[in-house]
Each structure stands twice: as structure tokens, then as C-alpha cells.
Amino acid sequence: MDRAEPRTGTAAPLTRRPVLYNLGSGPRRLLSRMPKDGPFAGWSEVTVDLDPGNHPDIVADIADLSGAVADGAADLIWCSHVLEHFHDHQIPAVLAGFLRILAPDGAAVIRVPDLAQVMRRLDETDLERVLYTSPAGPVSVLDVIYGHRASVEAGNLFMAHRTGFTEVSLARRMLEAGFEEVQTHVGDAMDFWAVGYIGSAANLKLIGQLIGPAQK
Ligand SMILES: C[S@@+](CC[C@H](N)C(=O)[O-])C[C@H]1O[C@@H](n2cnc3c(N)ncnc32)[C@H](O)[C@@H]1O
């Protein structure tokens, strides 16, 4: 994990429209929630999800995007509350796949539940106590660790969690996978963001627009 001053850098200008890949998008697009004349004007977004019911642009398992997404296609990856749905042993391959589709000077913004925050809030007598309310409904310690139980009960097994992370553990794994630098930022929904860079961190200012209350 690197908590040093943010990187600065400039990259060669793109000769094509920049693209954000929203991996494990769920039903909502990210950039449609950003101001039309804001810093993402001119960007396009490609949504990818395993669940066809979410109507993504690409129905695919993000553990293997070969055949679905070309090498270097993504200027930014946004992957919010998805990595915890994988078995732990799959994480290195998933992160390697992210690096494969990242363009030079690209970055991946990964948001996951924060097991450290959850453990600090653990109430031994009441694992079902509500910690916060998400768009899918109330979320307890059990939900953060094992996946949103109401969604799983409704039959959406994609929502079950199979592993978990702290800021330190995910940053370490991203560095091991080949990201050159990782910065983490605590969220306010029992989660955190890890931003992994390769190259010159050209999209640093844009990432600042993505990480924040607008994305709840
Ligand atoms: C908790 S939701 C998060 C949705 C959205 N990213 C957000 O932050 O609101 C997890 C999403 O990941 C998708 N998902 C789970 N495993 C996946 C996989 N292996 N490949 C692609 N999508 C997956 C689920 O279908 C679901 O839409």
C-alpha cells in the first residue's frame, strides 16, 4: 500500500475516445451518473456482468475476459463490490486479467467491503445488526462477510461472497499481480477503494471524481 502523495504524470494524448470498463457493473451505468459536461465528457463506458438480467453491454465472467475484451482496451477499470464474489484462489488471475485489458497509463479502481472496519464494528451478540443501508437494502456484519442475504435468498447466487480484503491485503495482492503502485482510500459504507496504476497515472484527476459520495 502506498499512502504517499498522489502520483502526477502526463501521458501521450489518446487518438481514440477513452473507455471506462465497468466490470461487474450490476444494472446501473456509472458515467450516466456523472455530469454530462464534466470531466468524463467524451468518454464511453462498457458494462460487463455475469448476470444477463442486469443487461450489461457484455455478458461475461470477468475472471476470463479473453475473447470478450481486447488487450489494452480499457483506459480505466471500475470494479465496485465484485472481487469478494470470487474464490480467493481466483484473485491473482482476475487481477492479471485486469492488467491485460488496461491501456498503457491505465488505472483500475477497485472497491470492496473492508473486513477490518467490519471486525471493528463486530457485535458478538448481534451479527444481524444493521451497519448501513445500501441500494439493495440493510446490510449487517453477516451480509458484508457472506454476501447480501436477502439477494442470495431471492435466488441471486452471484451475490454470495467467497473471500474478503483489508486495505493492506488487497494492495499487496495488486502489487503482486503487477500494478506499479496502489493507493487506498477508506469508504463510508464499510468499504474501501484501491486504485492501481500502471504507467504515468494520466487519469489521476478523473479518478478523484469517481471516488466519492456521488457513487453511492
Ligand atoms: C454487489 S453487485 C455490485 C454491482 C455494482 N458494481 C455496484 O457497485 O453497485 C456484484 C455484481 O457483480 C456481478 N458478478 C459477480 N460475479 C461476477 C463475475 N464472475 N463476473 C462478472 N460479474 C460478476 C454480479 O452479477 C453483480 O451484478
Side-chain angles (χ1 to χ4, degrees):
M1 181 169 45
D2 188 331
R3 287 179 175 281
E5 284 301 302
R7 295 167 63 121
T8 55
T10 51
L14 284 177
T15 53
R16 56 167 175 75
R17 206 172 172 197
V19 186
L20 177 147
Y21 274 77
N22 184 346
L23 303 181
S25 57
R28 298 197 303 164
R29 303 185 82 82
L30 179 66
L31 296 189
S32 60
R33 287 176 268 155
M34 307 298 286
K36 292 246 175 316
D37 55 354
F40 283 96
W43 280 67
S44 61
E45 174 176 4
V46 179
T47 55
V48 183
D49 203 284
L50 192 54
D51 181 355
N54 286 328
H55 306 292
D57 298 320
I58 301 173
V59 177
D61 184 341
I62 65 167
D64 181 10
L65 291 172
S66 57
V69 181
D71 293 4
D75 299 292
L76 270 181
I77 288 172
W78 170 260
C79 184
S80 168
H81 285 272
V82 184
L83 276 196
E84 66 275 17
H85 297 279
F86 287 94
H87 290 291
D88 195 72
H89 69 269
Q90 296 178 284
I91 299 300
V94 173
L95 294 174
F98 287 12
L99 283 165
R100 180 189 69 77
I101 70 168
L102 270 184
D105 301 314
V109 183
I110 300 175
R111 183 187 191 186
V112 287
D114 184 355
L115 289 188
Q117 286 188 62
V118 172
M119 294 308 167
R120 286 197 289 272
R121 293 280 300 276
L122 179 67
D123 178 346
E124 286 183 62
T125 65
D126 187 7
L127 289 177
E128 300 182 36
R129 185 168 57 86
V130 174
L131 297 175
Y132 71 100
T133 302
S134 76
V139 176
S140 68
V141 166
L142 277 180
D143 294 312
V144 178
I145 296 177
Y146 294 107
H148 190 242
R149 289 168 297 151
S151 301
V152 174
E153 184 180 2
N156 190 349
L157 300 185
F158 297 136
M159 293 297 278
H161 292 180
R162 299 184 178 88
T163 191
F165 304 93
T166 62
E167 288 177 82
V168 174
S169 77
L170 180 55
R172 183 185 304 131
R173 297 183 83 165
M174 290 172 72
L175 291 170
E176 285 169 1
F179 284 92
E180 291 168 17
E181 182 175 327
V182 177
Q183 296 176 348
T184 60
H185 309 264
V186 177
D188 58 5
M190 293 285 139
D191 56 8
F192 67 89
W193 283 274
V195 185
Y197 299 97
I198 55 174
S200 72
N203 292 312
L204 190 66
K205 285 187 183 151
L206 292 178
I207 290 166
Q209 302 285 322
L210 289 176
I211 298 177
Q215 306 319 322
K216 289 286 170 292

